[in-house]
mmCIF file of all heavy atoms in Angstrom:
data_model
loop_
_atom_site.group_PDB
_atom_site.id
_atom_site.type_symbol
_atom_site.label_atom_id
_atom_site.label_comp_id
_atom_site.label_asym_id
_atom_site.label_seq_id
_atom_site.Cartn_x
_atom_site.Cartn_y
_atom_site.Cartn_z
ATOM 1 N N MET A 15 1.964 138.369 161.491
ATOM 2 C CA MET A 15 2.620 137.866 160.288
ATOM 3 C C MET A 15 3.826 136.979 160.664
ATOM 4 O O MET A 15 4.673 137.402 161.447
ATOM 5 C CB MET A 15 3.072 139.063 159.413
ATOM 6 C CG MET A 15 3.844 138.657 158.222
ATOM 7 S SD MET A 15 2.935 137.673 156.960
ATOM 8 C CE MET A 15 1.949 139.028 156.240
ATOM 9 N N GLU A 19 12.067 134.253 157.954
ATOM 10 C CA GLU A 19 13.013 133.413 158.647
ATOM 11 C C GLU A 19 12.326 132.207 159.319
ATOM 12 O O GLU A 19 12.891 131.099 159.308
ATOM 13 C CB GLU A 19 13.781 134.201 159.665
ATOM 14 C CG GLU A 19 14.749 135.208 159.139
ATOM 15 C CD GLU A 19 14.161 136.452 158.444
ATOM 16 O OE1 GLU A 19 12.951 136.709 158.835
ATOM 17 O OE2 GLU A 19 14.752 137.072 157.617
ATOM 18 N N SER A 38 14.478 126.899 146.966
ATOM 19 C CA SER A 38 14.211 128.316 147.055
ATOM 20 C C SER A 38 14.732 129.097 145.933
ATOM 21 O O SER A 38 14.342 130.241 145.581
ATOM 22 C CB SER A 38 14.624 128.841 148.385
ATOM 23 O OG SER A 38 15.988 128.734 148.556
ATOM 24 N N GLY A 46 -0.963 127.594 132.072
ATOM 25 C CA GLY A 46 -2.266 127.020 132.240
ATOM 26 C C GLY A 46 -2.537 126.855 133.712
ATOM 27 O O GLY A 46 -1.807 126.069 134.388
ATOM 28 N N GLY A 49 -7.140 122.978 136.525
ATOM 29 C CA GLY A 49 -7.040 121.865 137.562
ATOM 30 C C GLY A 49 -5.634 121.428 137.714
ATOM 31 O O GLY A 49 -5.180 121.171 138.889
ATOM 32 N N ARG A 60 4.077 125.273 148.434
ATOM 33 C CA ARG A 60 4.205 124.689 149.723
ATOM 34 C C ARG A 60 5.553 124.006 149.959
ATOM 35 O O ARG A 60 6.097 123.882 151.130
ATOM 36 C CB ARG A 60 3.078 123.602 149.926
ATOM 37 C CG ARG A 60 1.719 124.221 150.061
ATOM 38 C CD ARG A 60 0.691 123.278 150.510
ATOM 39 N NE ARG A 60 -0.704 123.875 150.602
ATOM 40 C CZ ARG A 60 -1.112 124.595 151.563
ATOM 41 N NH1 ARG A 60 -0.339 124.903 152.575
ATOM 42 N NH2 ARG A 60 -2.332 125.071 151.521
ATOM 43 N N VAL A 63 9.450 126.276 146.503
ATOM 44 C CA VAL A 63 10.064 126.686 145.273
ATOM 45 C C VAL A 63 9.921 128.214 145.185
ATOM 46 O O VAL A 63 8.875 128.746 145.214
ATOM 47 C CB VAL A 63 9.409 125.938 144.073
ATOM 48 C CG1 VAL A 63 10.012 126.499 142.744
ATOM 49 C CG2 VAL A 63 9.657 124.503 144.123
ATOM 50 N N LEU A 68 3.359 132.417 136.746
ATOM 51 C CA LEU A 68 1.998 131.970 136.471
ATOM 52 C C LEU A 68 1.425 132.539 135.263
ATOM 53 O O LEU A 68 1.348 133.781 135.103
ATOM 54 C CB LEU A 68 1.073 132.338 137.677
ATOM 55 C CG LEU A 68 1.618 131.940 139.099
ATOM 56 C CD1 LEU A 68 0.665 132.403 140.141
ATOM 57 C CD2 LEU A 68 1.837 130.409 139.189
ATOM 58 N N ASN A 92 -9.373 137.288 137.196
ATOM 59 C CA ASN A 92 -8.312 136.582 136.528
ATOM 60 C C ASN A 92 -7.656 135.470 137.302
ATOM 61 O O ASN A 92 -7.400 135.681 138.492
ATOM 62 C CB ASN A 92 -7.248 137.582 136.090
ATOM 63 C CG ASN A 92 -7.622 138.557 135.048
ATOM 64 O OD1 ASN A 92 -8.442 138.257 134.186
ATOM 65 N ND2 ASN A 92 -7.057 139.751 135.106
ATOM 66 N N GLN A 102 0.165 133.552 148.060
ATOM 67 C CA GLN A 102 0.780 134.501 149.061
ATOM 68 C C GLN A 102 0.147 134.283 150.492
ATOM 69 O O GLN A 102 0.843 134.641 151.433
ATOM 70 C CB GLN A 102 0.539 135.908 148.572
ATOM 71 C CG GLN A 102 1.447 136.314 147.462
ATOM 72 C CD GLN A 102 1.152 137.679 146.885
ATOM 73 O OE1 GLN A 102 0.077 138.209 146.878
ATOM 74 N NE2 GLN A 102 2.254 138.330 146.425
ATOM 75 N N ILE A 104 -0.214 131.332 151.589
ATOM 76 C CA ILE A 104 0.648 130.197 152.019
ATOM 77 C C ILE A 104 2.001 130.621 152.369
ATOM 78 O O ILE A 104 2.521 130.264 153.442
ATOM 79 C CB ILE A 104 0.641 129.124 150.923
ATOM 80 C CG1 ILE A 104 -0.766 128.569 150.639
ATOM 81 C CG2 ILE A 104 1.544 128.000 151.363
ATOM 82 C CD1 ILE A 104 -0.920 127.724 149.485
ATOM 83 N N LYS A 111 5.588 135.905 139.571
ATOM 84 C CA LYS A 111 5.368 136.710 138.359
ATOM 85 C C LYS A 111 4.112 136.218 137.683
ATOM 86 O O LYS A 111 3.957 135.035 137.562
ATOM 87 C CB LYS A 111 6.593 136.666 137.437
ATOM 88 C CG LYS A 111 6.416 137.433 136.077
ATOM 89 C CD LYS A 111 7.615 137.189 135.230
ATOM 90 C CE LYS A 111 7.453 137.924 133.882
ATOM 91 N NZ LYS A 111 8.690 137.682 133.070
ATOM 92 N N GLU A 124 9.583 134.627 124.369
ATOM 93 C CA GLU A 124 9.685 135.680 125.321
ATOM 94 C C GLU A 124 9.107 135.315 126.648
ATOM 95 O O GLU A 124 9.697 135.651 127.727
ATOM 96 C CB GLU A 124 8.972 136.937 124.789
ATOM 97 C CG GLU A 124 8.911 138.145 125.719
ATOM 98 C CD GLU A 124 8.098 139.276 125.162
ATOM 99 O OE1 GLU A 124 7.566 139.191 124.029
ATOM 100 O OE2 GLU A 124 8.115 140.363 125.807
ATOM 101 N N ASP A 130 13.945 127.991 134.465
ATOM 102 C CA ASP A 130 14.694 126.701 134.209
ATOM 103 C C ASP A 130 13.821 125.598 133.738
ATOM 104 O O ASP A 130 14.230 124.751 132.965
ATOM 105 C CB ASP A 130 15.437 126.298 135.486
ATOM 106 C CG ASP A 130 16.244 127.361 136.122
ATOM 107 O OD1 ASP A 130 17.017 128.025 135.332
ATOM 108 O OD2 ASP A 130 16.193 127.643 137.363
ATOM 109 N N PHE A 136 -2.201 122.712 130.174
ATOM 110 C CA PHE A 136 -3.302 123.103 129.438
ATOM 111 C C PHE A 136 -4.421 121.877 129.407
ATOM 112 O O PHE A 136 -4.008 120.689 129.534
ATOM 113 C CB PHE A 136 -2.946 123.348 127.923
ATOM 114 C CG PHE A 136 -2.139 124.646 127.798
ATOM 115 C CD1 PHE A 136 -1.051 124.622 126.959
ATOM 116 C CD2 PHE A 136 -2.377 125.747 128.557
ATOM 117 C CE1 PHE A 136 -0.255 125.757 126.820
ATOM 118 C CE2 PHE A 136 -1.603 126.913 128.419
ATOM 119 C CZ PHE A 136 -0.578 126.875 127.503
ATOM 120 N N PRO A 139 -5.715 119.478 123.701
ATOM 121 C CA PRO A 139 -4.583 118.866 123.073
ATOM 122 C C PRO A 139 -3.882 119.784 122.092
ATOM 123 O O PRO A 139 -2.567 119.719 121.971
ATOM 124 C CB PRO A 139 -5.218 117.633 122.325
ATOM 125 C CG PRO A 139 -6.444 117.424 123.053
ATOM 126 C CD PRO A 139 -7.014 118.731 123.584
ATOM 127 N N ILE A 179 10.527 111.192 128.253
ATOM 128 C CA ILE A 179 10.514 111.075 126.816
ATOM 129 C C ILE A 179 11.880 111.209 126.292
ATOM 130 O O ILE A 179 12.370 110.478 125.404
ATOM 131 C CB ILE A 179 9.546 112.132 126.220
ATOM 132 C CG1 ILE A 179 8.194 112.006 126.796
ATOM 133 C CG2 ILE A 179 9.474 111.916 124.655
ATOM 134 C CD1 ILE A 179 7.487 110.631 126.706
ATOM 135 N N GLU A 194 -11.096 114.662 124.705
ATOM 136 C CA GLU A 194 -11.518 114.272 123.344
ATOM 137 C C GLU A 194 -12.231 112.915 123.349
ATOM 138 O O GLU A 194 -12.947 112.537 122.472
ATOM 139 C CB GLU A 194 -10.282 114.184 122.396
ATOM 140 C CG GLU A 194 -9.276 113.095 122.736
ATOM 141 C CD GLU A 194 -8.249 113.434 123.839
ATOM 142 O OE1 GLU A 194 -8.495 114.529 124.472
ATOM 143 O OE2 GLU A 194 -7.417 112.623 124.078
ATOM 144 N N LYS A 195 -12.152 112.186 124.468
ATOM 145 C CA LYS A 195 -12.857 110.885 124.612
ATOM 146 C C LYS A 195 -14.225 111.101 125.220
ATOM 147 O O LYS A 195 -14.925 110.114 125.500
ATOM 148 C CB LYS A 195 -12.043 109.994 125.512
ATOM 149 C CG LYS A 195 -10.609 109.637 125.003
ATOM 150 C CD LYS A 195 -10.683 108.675 123.891
ATOM 151 C CE LYS A 195 -9.262 108.172 123.522
ATOM 152 N NZ LYS A 195 -9.288 107.196 122.446
#
Side-chain angles (χ1 to χ4, degrees):
M15 175 66 75
E19 290 72 22
S38 64
R60 290 193 183 279
V63 175
L68 310 177
N92 290 329
Q102 288 178 325
I104 296 167
K111 177 182 178 181
E124 179 182 2
D130 306 312
F136 294 138
I179 307 303
E194 68 278 6
K195 300 285 189 179

